[in-house]
Amino acid sequence: MTARGPRTAPQPTAARLTEVLRAGTGDGAGARVGLVVDVEDPQQGEPPALAAAHLALRLADHGLGVRVLGTPAAWDRTTLAGLADLDVLVAAPGTDWSVLPDAVVRIAVAAPGAAAGADPGADATVPASLDEPGDPGDPGDPGDLADRLAAVVADQLGRRAAGSPAPRRAPRSLHTYPDFARNPFQQLLYAGLPQRGYQRVRVEDLLTHLRRRTWAPGPAGVLNVQWTDPVLRGVGGPFAARLLLDDLDRALQAYAAAGGRLVWTVHNVLPHDGGHPWAEIELCRLLARSADVVHVLSEETLAAAEPWFHLDPARTVVIDHASYLGHYPDTVDRAQARRRLGIGADERALIAVGGVRPYKGLDRLVEVFDALHAEDPRLRLLIAGRPGQRARSAAFEAACLADPRIVCRFDFVPDDELQVWMRAADVAVLAYRNILNSGAFLLAQTFGLPTVAPHDGALARFASEPQVRSFAPDDDASLAAAVRSALALVEDPAALHDAQEAALRLARERSPARMAAAFADLVVGVDASPDPQHEHQHEHQHEHQHDQRSTT
């Protein structure tokens, strides 16, 4: 809805509104205020931009100097540096206030009816909408909103001047890259942060984030880098990869110099589907020498990584990958699940769940399944998960969909439906050609399933567990023998009971709450450290020289 001014005030011209959006209202006699609003195209007079311009002019009537800022994702170096000149920032709840110097007052403009403390990072909350002011007299009217904002600004600045500002409950920020909203591991890993006073802030682009946090007047903060493959995904060739790595190296050094802290969570030694192996190795080396703390999901990671990059034990923390106990709904029983998927009560079902990617060996699992089905016609195969690259898996998908013995879903499985697939299965099969850590293994333990897993990486330690049948990763005959052994276990009620209890026991030992608490402790410790960069700056230089000599 187009904003209206007070009934007695003349409407500003379009030229004046455009000028306000471009240059602000001037310094004014009072405080300097920044308005954060989605200004997609000020020249076209988009409604949010018009609303912000009207509000800025009304605030100027109160003697405030106002600058209209775009969304934080669009802030450039000049905008970020200019935040230090503000007295007040007005934005929507959930804004990453940590880019601001501590002296800047933070005011959240929330939807009417929102709780006063809806944004713990704000000093005050004012009910209204920055984007669509309503009719005069409504909570969103620019004149009415300006009056209330001006009063809050005066109150907050008065408190500061008197030396008694309102206590700020602002959470600190953990910036996360890449951040996959539906990834259950990340949800569980970060679950302990709010209790320790941290909010999770998603990073869209690693290089941009490092530069922006270096330029911003607020603290550079803590960054958690997880999977590395998105960093180099889409680079055009070796030259572009080299330039990106050089830019990242400089940006990481500047970020550290600005007080930024880096935590690298190592999932794999190298990405499973990387396009430039040499560049992936260099990226891992760069992160290994730049990180204040390296978080590994298993103690086997250090030795597994050593041929490619060195992880300093003094800066490495082991927090084991958790199970998924309590995360997924588990209200469907075996009979219900089998009816849903069309599996007979007397049939034996193998399951492979998770992303459909080459390293997971689903093609050879289907071949092994064919051979075993000839031995036992009761055998069925369940496959559920989204393909990593549709073009590469199209033929495989078509073959599975055409096979009546196979029940498959080549798409993301919603949380409430995953239980149907897991409860319908007898044995989980991880036919991986290579692996270090596996969420799919711990998912199988969560649902108490006997599991066939490669004798590789962190999974090798579980080979002697009663619910696990191991195989040599490069041997299809070994895989077939392990599946036969697991199916024989299913036929023995006593052995099956012991296997299920062992799986659930392991799931309880790897509780999500324990992982979340340990990771939150890690973040707090890194954030509180005085300057860990100085402690290993010389070591970084030495490692970098070594890496440069050994990279091929």
Side-chain angles (χ1 to χ4, degrees):
M1 183 181 297
T2 302
R4 303 178 189 173
R7 297 178 181 83
T8 58
Q11 289 290 311
T13 64
R16 175 59 176 148
L17 292 173
T18 300
E19 176 64 17
V20 168
L21 292 173
R22 185 184 66 82
T25 64
D27 290 339
R32 293 158 296 185
V33 178
L35 281 181
V36 179
V37 68
D38 185 6
V39 183
E40 295 180 358
D41 187 354
Q43 297 300 323
Q44 296 299 318
E46 295 291 333
L50 287 176
H54 278 284
L55 179 57
L57 289 172
R58 295 291 180 255
L59 287 170
D61 291 342
H62 290 271
L64 301 175
V66 183
R67 291 175 54 203
V68 178
L69 309 175
T71 54
W75 291 352
D76 58 16
R77 185 171 189 168
T78 301
T79 303
L80 286 162
L83 297 176
D85 297 327
L86 297 176
D87 298 300
V88 179
L89 187 71
V90 180
T95 294
D96 182 12
W97 305 101
S98 66
V99 296
L100 297 171
D102 192 60
V104 177
V105 173
R106 302 109 190 259
I107 299 178
V109 177
D119 187 339
D123 296 304
T125 301
V126 177
S129 169
L130 285 176
D131 291 347
E132 297 185 17
D135 296 327
D138 288 347
D141 167 59
D144 176 65
L145 177 55
D147 291 344
R148 289 182 286 119
L149 276 174
V152 172
V153 168
D155 175 67
Q156 290 292 325
L157 293 178
R159 290 172 182 266
R160 300 232 167 171
S164 58
R168 178 177 291 159
R169 298 181 294 113
R172 301 178 73 88
S173 296
L174 175 69
H175 296 90
T176 57
Y177 174 87
D179 191 312
F180 302 120
R182 294 195 297 192
N183 184 279
F185 171 80
Q186 288 186 298
Q187 293 176 32
L188 296 175
L189 184 69
Y190 299 141
L193 294 173
Q195 291 86 347
R196 304 301 298 273
Y198 282 79
Q199 63 180 346
R200 168 184 173 185
V201 179
R202 180 176 185 176
V203 172
E204 297 290 345
D205 180 80
L206 180 58
L207 181 59
T208 299
H209 173 79
L210 292 169
R211 289 171 169 169
R212 286 163 57 85
R213 300 305 296 195
T214 301
W215 300 334
V222 183
L223 168 65
N224 178 214
V225 173
Q226 300 252 348
W227 300 272
T228 59
D229 45 314
V231 178
L232 290 164
R233 185 180 298 153
V235 296
F239 182 69
R242 177 76 270 160
L243 291 177
L244 177 57
L245 289 169
D246 290 344
D247 286 343
L248 280 170
D249 194 354
R250 287 189 289 269
L252 282 164
Q253 292 183 52
Y255 176 74
R261 303 289 189 259
L262 174 63
V263 177
W264 180 27
T265 297
V266 181
H267 289 262
N268 316 300
V269 172
L270 294 172
H272 294 295
D273 302 319
H276 302 284
W278 68 269
E280 299 288 356
I281 293 169
E282 285 208 25
L283 175 58
C284 290
R285 290 175 175 174
L286 175 58
L287 292 172
R289 67 174 177 261
S290 301
D292 298 290
V293 174
V294 177
H295 163 215
V296 296
L297 302 177
S298 60
E299 60 187 18
E300 290 84 357
T301 302
L302 281 82
E306 192 61 34
W308 313 106
F309 54 90
H310 175 67
L311 298 178
D312 178 9
R315 291 186 286 118
T316 300
V317 175
V318 180
I319 303 175
D320 289 325
H321 194 312
S323 71
Y324 298 92
L325 276 179
H327 180 74
Y328 292 107
D330 189 14
T331 58
V332 174
D333 64 25
R334 176 182 172 87
Q336 293 171 324
R338 292 199 154 209
R339 282 196 298 270
R340 292 268 297 272
L341 297 181
I343 306 297
D346 295 329
E347 292 182 307
R348 293 289 175 253
L350 309 176
I351 188 168
V353 66
V356 179
R357 301 170 70 182
Y359 79 93
K360 295 197 173 185
L362 293 177
D363 52 347
R364 68 171 178 170
L365 173 57
V366 171
E367 293 177 2
V368 167
F369 168 74
D370 276 332
L372 295 178
H373 188 272
E375 301 172 9
D376 184 353
R378 298 177 303 161
L379 205 57
R380 302 291 299 275
L381 178 60
L382 313 179
I383 299 175
R386 174 177 291 170
Q389 296 183 22
R390 287 282 184 184
R392 295 173 61 179
S393 65
F396 175 78
E397 290 181 49
C400 291
L401 290 167
D403 192 329
R405 304 167 304 169
I406 301 175
V407 180
C408 49
R409 175 188 175 121
F410 292 107
D411 200 355
F412 174 77
V413 181
D415 287 0
D416 61 342
E417 293 183 24
L418 185 62
Q419 59 177 323
V420 176
W421 294 84
M422 301 304 288
R423 286 300 174 205
D426 293 296
V427 175
V429 183
L430 283 61
Y432 299 170
R433 293 183 168 89
N434 60 82
I435 195 64
L436 177 56
N437 302 290
S438 175
F441 176 82
L442 288 155
L443 177 66
Q445 309 313 293
T446 301
F447 283 90
L449 282 177
T451 306
V452 174
H455 196 276
D456 194 26
L459 300 188
R461 73 169 80 170
F462 302 114
S464 60
E465 294 289 330
Q467 78 277 23
V468 176
R469 296 294 183 269
S470 290
F471 66 93
D474 58 352
D475 187 345
D476 289 1
S478 176
L479 170 61
V483 174
R484 284 192 193 92
S485 178
L487 289 170
L489 182 154
V490 172
E491 301 296 339
D492 182 337
L496 177 60
H497 176 269
D498 290 344
Q500 292 171 335
E501 287 300 311
L504 292 172
R505 183 167 57 252
L506 175 58
R508 289 190 291 269
E509 291 171 357
R510 295 288 191 95
S511 76
R514 182 177 301 173
M515 179 180 73
F519 186 77
D521 287 344
L522 183 156
V523 171
V524 171
V526 170
D527 206 6
S529 59
D531 191 354
Q533 287 297 329
H534 290 308
E535 297 177 8
H536 55 270
Q537 182 177 8
H538 176 73
E539 175 192 347
H540 285 184
Q541 294 171 350
H542 174 76
E543 288 181 4
H544 182 58
Q545 293 167 359
H546 172 76
D547 290 346
Q548 289 291 92
R549 290 194 299 269
S550 60
T551 298
T552 58

